[in-house]
Amino acid sequence: QGQFRSPDAMFRAATEIGTLWSLERLCRKRALESLPRMSSSEILFVNLEPKSFYDPELRSRDFLKQIEEAAHVCNLVEFHTSLLTPAA
């Protein structure tokens, strides 16, 4: 078992050491890589920490295009904001 027992602990640690955006980018990449295994009736959930809305990659044309393509594979792409860390 790794150092982190839960995703919450991992994301808190990433926030503390300044690597939150890198971790979230990796998670989004992995989520999009799972698309070929999804059926059209499934929903792709993307969880975000509030601070991630400041990440320029999240608003990039490339990412928006990937999300648009994802919506053609699965039925729906949903974004959820985590309430674990404050947005300040």
Side-chain angles (χ1 to χ4, degrees):
Q1 202 173 42
Q3 179 181 359
F4 301 107
R5 294 180 185 226
S6 73
D8 299 343
M10 185 171 54
F11 280 90
R12 274 193 213 99
T15 299
E16 289 173 12
I17 63 172
T19 59
L20 176 63
W21 288 358
S22 296
L23 177 59
E24 286 215 348
R25 287 173 180 171
L26 177 62
C27 291
R28 289 192 302 264
K29 179 182 176 194
R30 294 282 190 238
L32 292 170
E33 288 173 353
S34 73
L35 285 173
R37 297 183 303 275
M38 295 180 74
S39 72
S40 62
S41 63
E42 292 181 291
I43 299 171
L44 175 64
F45 289 95
V46 180
N47 294 311
L48 300 167
E49 291 291 324
K51 292 179 182 180
S52 294
F53 286 98
Y54 298 106
D55 181 354
E57 186 176 288
L58 191 64
R59 297 181 308 273
S60 73
R61 288 185 191 268
D62 287 340
F63 180 68
L64 295 175
K65 183 178 178 184
Q66 288 175 322
I67 293 301
E68 184 178 314
E69 290 171 1
H72 292 290
V73 174
C74 57
N75 190 35
L76 183 64
V77 178
E78 281 193 24
F79 289 90
H80 291 261
T81 304
S82 168
L83 302 176
L84 295 174
T85 57

Coordinates of all heavy atoms in Angstrom, one line a residue:
Q1 N 0.8 -1.2 0.0 CA 0.0 0.0 0.0 C 0.9 1.2 0.0 O 1.9 1.3 0.7 CB -0.9 0.0 1.2 CG -2.1 0.8 1.1 CD -3.1 0.6 2.3 OE1 -2.6 0.5 3.4 NE2 -4.3 0.5 2.0
G2 N 0.5 2.3 -0.7 CA 1.3 3.5 -0.9 C 1.1 4.4 0.3 O 0.5 4.1 1.3
Q3 N 1.8 5.5 0.2 CA 1.8 6.5 1.3 C 0.4 7.1 1.5 O 0.1 7.5 2.6 CB 2.8 7.6 0.9 CG 2.9 8.7 1.9 CD 3.9 9.8 1.5 OE1 4.5 9.7 0.5 NE2 4.0 10.8 2.3
F4 N -0.4 7.2 0.5 CA -1.7 7.8 0.6 C -2.8 6.8 0.7 O -2.9 5.9 -0.2 CB -1.9 8.8 -0.6 CG -0.9 9.8 -0.7 CD1 0.0 9.8 -1.7 CD2 -0.9 10.9 0.2 CE1 1.0 10.7 -1.8 CE2 0.1 11.9 0.0 CZ 1.0 11.8 -1.0
R5 N -3.6 6.9 1.7 CA -4.7 5.9 1.9 C -6.0 6.3 1.2 O -6.9 5.5 1.1 CB -4.9 5.7 3.4 CG -3.7 5.0 4.0 CD -3.9 4.8 5.5 NE -2.6 4.3 6.0 CZ -2.5 3.3 6.8 NH1 -3.6 2.7 7.2 NH2 -1.4 2.9 7.2
S6 N -6.0 7.5 0.8 CA -7.2 8.0 0.1 C -6.8 9.1 -0.9 O -5.8 9.7 -0.8 CB -8.2 8.6 1.1 OG -7.8 9.8 1.6
P7 N -7.7 9.2 -1.9 CA -7.4 10.3 -2.9 C -7.4 11.7 -2.2 O -6.6 12.6 -2.6 CB -8.6 10.2 -3.9 CG -9.0 8.8 -3.8 CD -8.8 8.4 -2.3
D8 N -8.2 11.9 -1.2 CA -8.3 13.1 -0.5 C -6.9 13.5 0.1 O -6.5 14.7 0.0 CB -9.3 13.1 0.7 CG -10.7 12.8 0.3 OD1 -11.0 13.0 -0.9 OD2 -11.5 12.4 1.1
A9 N -6.3 12.6 0.7 CA -4.9 12.8 1.3 C -3.9 13.2 0.2 O -3.1 14.0 0.3 CB -4.4 11.6 2.1
M10 N -4.0 12.5 -1.0 CA -3.1 12.7 -2.1 C -3.3 14.1 -2.6 O -2.4 14.9 -2.9 CB -3.4 11.7 -3.2 CG -2.4 11.8 -4.3 SD -2.5 10.4 -5.5 CE -4.2 10.4 -5.9
F11 N -4.6 14.6 -2.8 CA -4.9 15.9 -3.3 C -4.5 17.0 -2.3 O -4.0 18.0 -2.7 CB -6.3 16.0 -3.7 CG -6.5 15.4 -5.1 CD1 -6.9 14.1 -5.2 CD2 -6.4 16.1 -6.3 CE1 -7.1 13.5 -6.5 CE2 -6.6 15.6 -7.5 CZ -6.9 14.2 -7.6
R12 N -4.7 16.7 -1.0 CA -4.3 17.7 0.0 C -2.7 17.9 0.0 O -2.2 19.0 0.0 CB -4.7 17.3 1.4 CG -6.1 17.7 1.7 CD -6.4 17.5 3.2 NE -7.8 17.2 3.3 CZ -8.3 16.0 3.5 NH1 -7.5 15.0 3.6 NH2 -9.6 15.8 3.6
A13 N -2.0 16.8 -0.1 CA -0.6 16.8 -0.2 C -0.1 17.6 -1.5 O 0.8 18.4 -1.4 CB 0.0 15.4 -0.2
A14 N -0.8 17.3 -2.6 CA -0.4 18.0 -3.8 C -0.6 19.5 -3.7 O 0.1 20.3 -4.2 CB -1.2 17.4 -5.0
T15 N -1.7 19.9 -3.0 CA -2.0 21.3 -2.8 C -0.9 21.9 -1.9 O -0.4 23.0 -2.2 CB -3.4 21.5 -2.1 OG1 -4.4 20.9 -3.0 CG2 -3.7 22.9 -1.9
E16 N -0.5 21.2 -0.9 CA 0.5 21.7 0.0 C 1.8 21.9 -0.6 O 2.6 22.9 -0.3 CB 0.6 20.8 1.2 CG -0.6 20.8 2.2 CD -0.5 19.8 3.3 OE1 0.6 19.1 3.4 OE2 -1.5 19.5 3.9
I17 N 2.2 21.1 -1.5 CA 3.5 21.2 -2.2 C 3.5 21.9 -3.5 O 4.5 21.9 -4.2 CB 4.3 19.8 -2.3 CG1 3.5 18.8 -3.1 CG2 4.5 19.2 -0.9 CD1 4.2 17.5 -3.4
G18 N 2.3 22.3 -3.9 CA 2.2 23.1 -5.2 C 2.2 22.3 -6.4 O 2.5 22.8 -7.5
T19 N 1.7 21.1 -6.4 CA 1.6 20.2 -7.6 C 0.2 19.8 -7.9 O 0.0 18.9 -8.6 CB 2.5 19.0 -7.4 OG1 2.0 18.2 -6.3 CG2 4.0 19.3 -7.3
L20 N -0.8 20.6 -7.4 CA -2.2 20.2 -7.6 C -2.5 20.2 -9.1 O -3.1 19.2 -9.6 CB -3.1 21.2 -6.9 CG -4.6 21.0 -7.1 CD1 -5.0 19.6 -6.6 CD2 -5.4 22.1 -6.5
W21 N -2.1 21.2 -9.8 CA -2.5 21.2 -11.3 C -1.9 20.0 -12.0 O -2.5 19.4 -12.8 CB -2.1 22.5 -11.9 CG -3.0 23.7 -11.5 CD1 -4.0 23.6 -10.7 CD2 -2.8 25.0 -11.9 NE1 -4.6 24.9 -10.5 CE2 -3.8 25.8 -11.3 CE3 -1.9 25.7 -12.8 CZ2 -4.0 27.1 -11.5 CZ3 -2.1 27.0 -12.9 CH2 -3.1 27.8 -12.3
S22 N -0.7 19.7 -11.7 CA 0.0 18.5 -12.3 C -0.8 17.2 -12.0 O -1.0 16.4 -12.9 CB 1.4 18.4 -11.8 OG 2.2 19.5 -12.2
L23 N -1.2 17.1 -10.8 CA -1.9 15.9 -10.4 C -3.3 15.8 -11.1 O -3.7 14.8 -11.6 CB -2.1 15.8 -8.9 CG -2.9 14.6 -8.3 CD1 -2.3 13.3 -8.7 CD2 -3.1 14.7 -6.8
E24 N -4.0 17.0 -11.1 CA -5.3 17.0 -11.7 C -5.2 16.8 -13.3 O -6.0 16.1 -13.9 CB -6.0 18.3 -11.4 CG -6.5 18.3 -10.0 CD -7.8 19.0 -9.8 OE1 -8.3 19.7 -10.8 OE2 -8.4 18.8 -8.8
R25 N -4.1 17.3 -13.9 CA -3.9 17.1 -15.3 C -3.7 15.6 -15.6 O -4.2 15.1 -16.6 CB -2.7 17.9 -15.8 CG -3.0 19.4 -15.9 CD -1.7 20.2 -16.2 NE -2.0 21.6 -16.3 CZ -1.1 22.5 -16.4 NH1 0.2 22.2 -16.4 NH2 -1.4 23.8 -16.4
L26 N -2.9 15.0 -14.7 CA -2.7 13.5 -14.9 C -4.0 12.8 -14.7 O -4.3 11.9 -15.5 CB -1.7 13.0 -13.9 CG -1.4 11.5 -13.9 CD1 -0.8 11.1 -15.2 CD2 -0.4 11.2 -12.8
C27 N -4.8 13.1 -13.8 CA -6.1 12.5 -13.6 C -7.0 12.7 -14.7 O -7.7 11.7 -15.2 CB -6.8 13.0 -12.3 SG -5.9 12.5 -10.8
R28 N -7.1 13.9 -15.3 CA -7.9 14.1 -16.5 C -7.4 13.3 -17.7 O -8.2 12.8 -18.4 CB -7.9 15.6 -16.8 CG -8.7 16.5 -15.8 CD -9.0 17.9 -16.3 NE -7.8 18.6 -16.6 CZ -7.2 19.5 -15.8 NH1 -7.7 19.7 -14.6 NH2 -6.2 20.2 -16.2
K29 N -6.1 13.3 -17.8 CA -5.5 12.5 -18.9 C -6.0 11.0 -18.8 O -6.4 10.4 -19.8 CB -4.0 12.6 -18.9 CG -3.4 11.8 -20.0 CD -1.8 12.0 -19.9 CE -1.2 11.1 -21.0 NZ 0.2 10.9 -20.8
R30 N -5.8 10.5 -17.6 CA -6.2 9.1 -17.4 C -7.7 8.8 -17.6 O -8.1 7.8 -18.2 CB -5.8 8.6 -15.9 CG -4.4 8.6 -15.7 CD -3.7 7.4 -16.3 NE -2.4 7.3 -15.8 CZ -1.3 7.2 -16.6 NH1 -1.5 7.3 -17.9 NH2 -0.1 7.2 -16.1
A31 N -8.5 9.8 -17.2 CA -10.0 9.7 -17.4 C -10.3 9.6 -18.9 O -11.1 8.8 -19.4 CB -10.7 10.8 -16.7
L32 N -9.6 10.5 -19.7 CA -9.9 10.5 -21.1 C -9.3 9.3 -21.8 O -9.9 8.8 -22.8 CB -9.3 11.8 -21.7 CG -10.0 13.1 -21.3 CD1 -9.2 14.3 -21.8 CD2 -11.4 13.1 -21.9
E33 N -8.2 8.7 -21.2 CA -7.7 7.5 -21.8 C -8.7 6.3 -21.6 O -8.6 5.3 -22.3 CB -6.3 7.1 -21.2 CG -5.2 8.0 -21.6 CD -3.9 7.8 -20.9 OE1 -3.9 7.1 -19.9 OE2 -2.9 8.4 -21.3
S34 N -9.6 6.4 -20.6 CA -10.5 5.3 -20.3 C -11.7 5.3 -21.3 O -12.5 4.4 -21.3 CB -11.0 5.4 -18.9 OG -11.9 6.5 -18.8
L35 N -11.8 6.3 -22.1 CA -13.0 6.4 -23.0 C -13.2 5.2 -23.9 O -14.3 4.8 -24.1 CB -12.9 7.7 -23.8 CG -13.2 9.0 -23.1 CD1 -12.9 10.2 -24.0 CD2 -14.6 9.0 -22.6
P36 N -12.1 4.7 -24.5 CA -12.4 3.6 -25.4 C -13.1 2.4 -24.8 O -13.7 1.6 -25.4 CB -11.0 3.2 -25.9 CG -10.2 4.4 -25.8 CD -10.7 5.1 -24.6
R37 N -12.9 2.3 -23.4 CA -13.5 1.1 -22.7 C -14.9 1.5 -22.2 O -15.6 0.6 -21.6 CB -12.6 0.7 -21.5 CG -11.3 0.2 -22.0 CD -10.4 -0.2 -20.8 NE -10.2 0.8 -19.8 CZ -9.3 1.7 -19.8 NH1 -8.4 1.8 -20.8 NH2 -9.1 2.5 -18.8
M38 N -15.4 2.7 -22.5 CA -16.7 3.1 -22.0 C -17.8 2.8 -23.0 O -17.5 2.9 -24.2 CB -16.7 4.6 -21.6 CG -15.8 4.9 -20.4 SD -15.8 6.6 -20.0 CE -17.4 6.8 -19.2
S39 N -19.0 2.6 -22.6 CA -20.1 2.5 -23.5 C -20.8 3.8 -23.6 O -20.6 4.7 -22.8 CB -21.1 1.4 -23.0 OG -21.8 1.9 -21.9
S40 N -21.7 3.9 -24.6 CA -22.4 5.2 -24.8 C -23.4 5.5 -23.7 O -23.9 6.6 -23.6 CB -23.1 5.2 -26.2 OG -24.1 4.1 -26.2
S41 N -23.7 4.5 -22.9 CA -24.7 4.8 -21.8 C -24.0 5.2 -20.5 O -24.7 5.5 -19.5 CB -25.5 3.5 -21.5 OG -24.6 2.5 -21.1
E42 N -22.7 5.2 -20.5 CA -21.9 5.6 -19.3 C -21.7 7.1 -19.2 O -21.7 7.8 -20.2 CB -20.6 4.8 -19.2 CG -20.8 3.4 -19.0 CD -19.5 2.6 -18.9 OE1 -18.8 2.5 -19.9 OE2 -19.2 2.2 -17.8
I43 N -21.4 7.6 -18.0 CA -21.1 9.0 -17.8 C -19.6 9.1 -17.3 O -19.2 8.4 -16.5 CB -22.0 9.6 -16.7 CG1 -23.4 9.5 -17.1 CG2 -21.6 11.0 -16.4 CD1 -24.4 9.8 -16.0
L44 N -18.9 10.0 -17.9 CA -17.5 10.3 -17.5 C -17.6 11.4 -16.5 O -18.0 12.5 -16.8 CB -16.7 10.7 -18.7 CG -15.2 11.2 -18.4 CD1 -14.4 10.0 -17.8 CD2 -14.5 11.7 -19.6
F45 N -17.2 11.1 -15.2 CA -17.1 12.1 -14.2 C -15.7 12.7 -14.1 O -14.7 11.9 -14.0 CB -17.5 11.5 -12.8 CG -19.0 11.1 -12.8 CD1 -19.4 9.9 -13.0 CD2 -19.9 12.1 -12.4 CE1 -20.7 9.5 -13.0 CE2 -21.3 11.8 -12.3 CZ -21.7 10.5 -12.6
V46 N -15.6 14.0 -14.0 CA -14.3 14.6 -13.8 C -14.4 15.5 -12.6 O -15.2 16.4 -12.5 CB -13.9 15.5 -15.1 CG1 -12.6 16.2 -14.9 CG2 -13.9 14.7 -16.4
N47 N -13.6 15.1 -11.6 CA -13.6 15.9 -10.3 C -12.5 16.9 -10.3 O -11.4 16.6 -10.8 CB -13.4 14.9 -9.1 CG -14.6 14.0 -9.0 OD1 -15.7 14.4 -9.0 ND2 -14.2 12.7 -8.8
L48 N -12.8 18.1 -9.8 CA -11.9 19.2 -9.8 C -11.8 19.8 -8.5 O -12.9 20.0 -7.8 CB -12.3 20.3 -10.8 CG -12.4 19.8 -12.3 CD1 -13.1 20.9 -13.1 CD2 -11.0 19.6 -12.9
E49 N -10.7 20.2 -8.1 CA -10.5 21.1 -6.9 C -10.8 22.5 -7.3 O -10.6 22.9 -8.4 CB -9.1 21.0 -6.4 CG -8.7 19.7 -5.8 CD -9.4 19.4 -4.4 OE1 -9.6 20.4 -3.7 OE2 -9.8 18.2 -4.2
P50 N -11.4 23.3 -6.4 CA -11.8 24.7 -6.8 C -10.6 25.5 -7.4 O -10.8 26.2 -8.4 CB -12.2 25.3 -5.5 CG -12.7 24.1 -4.7 CD -11.8 23.0 -5.1
K51 N -9.4 25.3 -6.9 CA -8.2 26.1 -7.4 C -7.9 25.7 -8.8 O -7.2 26.5 -9.5 CB -7.0 25.8 -6.5 CG -7.2 26.4 -5.1 CD -6.0 26.2 -4.3 CE -6.1 26.8 -2.9 NZ -5.0 26.5 -2.0
S52 N -8.4 24.5 -9.3 CA -8.0 24.1 -10.6 C -8.7 24.9 -11.7 O -8.3 24.9 -12.9 CB -8.4 22.6 -10.8 OG -7.5 21.9 -10.0
F53 N -9.8 25.6 -11.4 CA -10.4 26.5 -12.3 C -9.5 27.6 -12.8 O -9.8 28.2 -13.9 CB -11.7 27.0 -11.8 CG -12.8 26.0 -11.8 CD1 -13.1 25.3 -10.6 CD2 -13.5 25.6 -12.9 CE1 -14.1 24.3 -10.5 CE2 -14.5 24.6 -12.9 CZ -14.8 24.0 -11.7
Y54 N -8.4 27.8 -12.1 CA -7.4 28.8 -12.6 C -6.4 28.2 -13.5 O -5.6 28.9 -14.0 CB -6.8 29.5 -11.3 CG -7.7 30.2 -10.5 CD1 -8.1 29.7 -9.2 CD2 -8.2 31.5 -10.9 CE1 -9.0 30.4 -8.4 CE2 -9.1 32.1 -10.1 CZ -9.5 31.6 -8.8 OH -10.3 32.3 -8.0
D55 N -6.4 26.9 -13.7 CA -5.4 26.2 -14.5 C -5.7 26.6 -16.0 O -6.8 26.2 -16.5 CB -5.5 24.7 -14.3 CG -4.6 23.9 -15.1 OD1 -3.8 24.5 -16.0 OD2 -4.5 22.7 -14.9
P56 N -4.8 27.2 -16.7 CA -5.1 27.6 -18.1 C -5.3 26.4 -19.0 O -6.1 26.5 -20.0 CB -3.8 28.3 -18.5 CG -3.0 28.5 -17.3 CD -3.5 27.6 -16.2
E57 N -4.8 25.2 -18.6 CA -5.0 24.0 -19.5 C -6.4 23.6 -19.5 O -6.9 23.1 -20.4 CB -4.1 22.9 -19.0 CG -4.2 21.7 -19.9 CD -3.2 20.6 -19.5 OE1 -2.0 20.8 -19.7 OE2 -3.7 19.6 -19.1
L58 N -7.1 23.8 -18.4 CA -8.5 23.4 -18.2 C -9.4 24.2 -19.2 O -10.4 23.7 -19.7 CB -9.0 23.7 -16.8 CG -10.4 23.1 -16.4 CD1 -10.3 21.6 -16.5 CD2 -10.8 23.6 -15.1
R59 N -9.0 25.4 -19.6 CA -9.7 26.2 -20.6 C -9.1 26.2 -22.0 O -9.5 27.0 -22.8 CB -9.8 27.6 -20.0 CG -10.6 27.7 -18.7 CD -10.7 29.1 -18.2 NE -9.5 29.9 -18.1 CZ -8.6 29.9 -17.1 NH1 -8.9 29.1 -16.0 NH2 -7.5 30.6 -17.1
S60 N -8.1 25.4 -22.2 CA -7.4 25.4 -23.5 C -8.3 24.8 -24.6 O -9.2 23.9 -24.3 CB -6.1 24.6 -23.4 OG -6.4 23.2 -23.3
R61 N -8.1 25.2 -25.8 CA -8.8 24.6 -26.9 C -8.6 23.1 -27.0 O -9.6 22.4 -27.3 CB -8.4 25.3 -28.2 CG -8.8 26.7 -28.4 CD -8.4 27.2 -29.7 NE -8.6 28.7 -29.8 CZ -9.7 29.2 -30.3 NH1 -10.8 28.5 -30.6 NH2 -9.8 30.5 -30.3
D62 N -7.4 22.6 -26.8 CA -7.2 21.2 -26.9 C -8.0 20.4 -25.9 O -8.6 19.4 -26.2 CB -5.7 20.9 -26.6 CG -4.8 21.3 -27.8 OD1 -5.3 21.5 -28.9 OD2 -3.6 21.5 -27.6
F63 N -8.0 20.9 -24.6 CA -8.8 20.2 -23.6 C -10.3 20.2 -23.9 O -11.0 19.2 -23.8 CB -8.6 20.7 -22.2 CG -9.4 20.0 -21.1 CD1 -9.1 18.7 -20.8 CD2 -10.4 20.6 -20.5 CE1 -9.8 18.0 -19.9 CE2 -11.1 20.0 -19.5 CZ -10.8 18.7 -19.2
L64 N -10.8 21.4 -24.3 CA -12.2 21.5 -24.7 C -12.6 20.6 -25.9 O -13.6 20.0 -25.9 CB -12.6 23.0 -25.0 CG -12.4 23.9 -23.8 CD1 -12.7 25.3 -24.3 CD2 -13.4 23.5 -22.7
K65 N -11.6 20.5 -26.8 CA -11.9 19.5 -28.0 C -11.9 18.1 -27.5 O -12.8 17.3 -27.9 CB -10.8 19.7 -29.0 CG -11.0 18.9 -30.2 CD -9.9 19.1 -31.3 CE -10.1 18.2 -32.4 NZ -9.1 18.3 -33.4
Q66 N -11.1 17.7 -26.5 CA -11.1 16.4 -26.0 C -12.4 16.1 -25.3 O -13.0 15.0 -25.4 CB -9.9 16.2 -25.0 CG -8.6 16.1 -25.7 CD -7.5 16.1 -24.6 OE1 -7.5 16.7 -23.6 NE2 -6.4 15.3 -24.9
I67 N -12.9 17.1 -24.5 CA -14.2 16.9 -23.8 C -15.3 16.8 -24.9 O -16.2 15.9 -24.7 CB -14.4 18.0 -22.9 CG1 -13.4 18.0 -21.7 CG2 -15.8 18.0 -22.3 CD1 -13.4 16.7 -20.9
E68 N -15.3 17.6 -25.9 CA -16.3 17.5 -26.9 C -16.3 16.1 -27.6 O -17.3 15.5 -27.8 CB -16.1 18.5 -28.0 CG -17.1 18.6 -29.1 CD -16.9 19.7 -30.0 OE1 -16.6 20.8 -29.6 OE2 -17.0 19.5 -31.3
E69 N -15.1 15.6 -27.9 CA -15.0 14.2 -28.5 C -15.4 13.2 -27.5 O -16.1 12.2 -27.8 CB -13.5 14.0 -28.9 CG -13.1 14.8 -30.1 CD -11.6 14.7 -30.4 OE1 -10.9 14.0 -29.6 OE2 -11.2 15.4 -31.3
A70 N -15.1 13.4 -26.2 CA -15.6 12.4 -25.2 C -17.1 12.3 -25.1 O -17.7 11.3 -24.9 CB -15.0 12.8 -23.8
A71 N -17.8 13.5 -25.3 CA -19.2 13.5 -25.3 C -19.8 12.7 -26.4 O -21.0 12.2 -26.3 CB -19.7 14.9 -25.3
H72 N -19.0 12.4 -27.5 CA -19.5 11.6 -28.5 C -19.4 10.1 -28.2 O -20.0 9.3 -28.8 CB -18.8 11.9 -29.9 CG -19.1 13.3 -30.4 ND1 -20.4 13.6 -30.9 CD2 -18.4 14.4 -30.5 CE1 -20.4 14.8 -31.3 NE2 -19.2 15.4 -31.0
V73 N -18.4 9.8 -27.3 CA -18.2 8.4 -27.0 C -19.1 7.9 -25.9 O -19.8 6.9 -26.0 CB -16.7 8.2 -26.5 CG1 -16.5 6.8 -26.0 CG2 -15.8 8.5 -27.7
C74 N -19.1 8.7 -24.8 CA -20.1 8.4 -23.7 C -21.2 9.3 -23.8 O -21.2 10.3 -24.5 CB -19.3 8.4 -22.3 SG -18.6 10.0 -22.0
N75 N -22.2 9.0 -23.0 CA -23.5 9.8 -23.1 C -23.3 11.2 -22.5 O -23.9 12.1 -23.0 CB -24.5 9.0 -22.3 CG -25.9 9.6 -22.5 OD1 -26.2 10.1 -23.6 ND2 -26.7 9.6 -21.5
L76 N -22.4 11.4 -21.5 CA -22.4 12.6 -20.8 C -21.0 12.8 -20.1 O -20.5 11.8 -19.6 CB -23.5 12.7 -19.7 CG -23.7 13.9 -18.9 CD1 -24.1 15.1 -19.8 CD2 -24.8 13.7 -17.9
V77 N -20.5 14.0 -20.1 CA -19.3 14.3 -19.3 C -19.8 15.3 -18.2 O -20.3 16.3 -18.5 CB -18.2 15.0 -20.2 CG1 -17.0 15.3 -19.3 CG2 -17.8 14.0 -21.3
E78 N -19.5 14.9 -17.0 CA -19.9 15.8 -15.8 C -18.7 16.2 -15.1 O -17.8 15.4 -14.8 CB -20.8 15.0 -14.9 CG -22.2 14.9 -15.3 CD -23.1 14.4 -14.2 OE1 -22.8 14.6 -13.0 OE2 -24.2 13.9 -14.6
F79 N -18.7 17.5 -14.7 CA -17.6 18.1 -13.9 C -18.2 18.3 -12.5 O -19.3 18.8 -12.4 CB -17.1 19.4 -14.5 CG -16.3 19.2 -15.7 CD1 -17.0 19.3 -17.0 CD2 -15.0 19.1 -15.7 CE1 -16.3 19.1 -18.1 CE2 -14.2 18.9 -16.9 CZ -14.9 18.9 -18.1
H80 N -17.4 17.9 -11.5 CA -17.8 18.0 -10.1 C -16.7 18.8 -9.4 O -15.5 18.5 -9.6 CB -18.0 16.7 -9.5 CG -19.2 16.0 -10.0 ND1 -20.4 16.0 -9.3 CD2 -19.4 15.3 -11.1 CE1 -21.3 15.3 -10.1 NE2 -20.7 14.8 -11.1
T81 N -17.1 19.7 -8.6 CA -16.1 20.5 -7.8 C -16.0 19.8 -6.4 O -17.0 19.6 -5.7 CB -16.5 21.9 -7.7 OG1 -16.7 22.5 -9.0 CG2 -15.5 22.7 -6.9
S82 N -14.8 19.6 -6.0 CA -14.5 19.0 -4.7 C -14.7 20.1 -3.6 O -14.4 21.3 -3.9 CB -13.1 18.5 -4.6 OG -12.8 18.2 -3.3
L83 N -15.3 19.7 -2.5 CA -15.4 20.7 -1.4 C -14.4 20.4 -0.3 O -14.6 21.0 0.8 CB -16.9 20.6 -0.9 CG -18.0 20.8 -1.9 CD1 -19.3 20.6 -1.3 CD2 -17.9 22.2 -2.5
L84 N -13.4 19.7 -0.6 CA -12.4 19.3 0.4 C -11.4 20.4 0.7 O -11.0 20.6 1.9 CB -11.6 18.1 0.0 CG -12.5 16.8 -0.1 CD1 -11.6 15.7 -0.7 CD2 -13.0 16.4 1.2
T85 N -11.1 21.2 -0.3 CA -10.1 22.3 0.0 C -10.8 23.6 -0.4 O -11.5 23.7 -1.4 CB -8.8 22.1 -0.8 OG1 -9.1 22.0 -2.2 CG2 -8.1 20.9 -0.4
P86 N -10.5 24.7 0.3 CA -11.1 26.0 0.1 C -10.5 26.5 -1.3 O -9.4 26.2 -1.7 CB -10.7 26.8 1.2 CG -9.5 26.1 1.9 CD -9.6 24.7 1.5
A87 N -11.3 27.4 -1.9 CA -10.9 28.0 -3.2 C -10.0 29.1 -3.0 O -9.5 29.7 -4.0 CB -12.2 28.4 -3.9
A88 N -9.7 29.6 -1.8 CA -8.9 30.8 -1.6 C -7.5 30.7 -2.2 O -7.0 29.7 -2.5 CB -8.8 31.1 -0.1

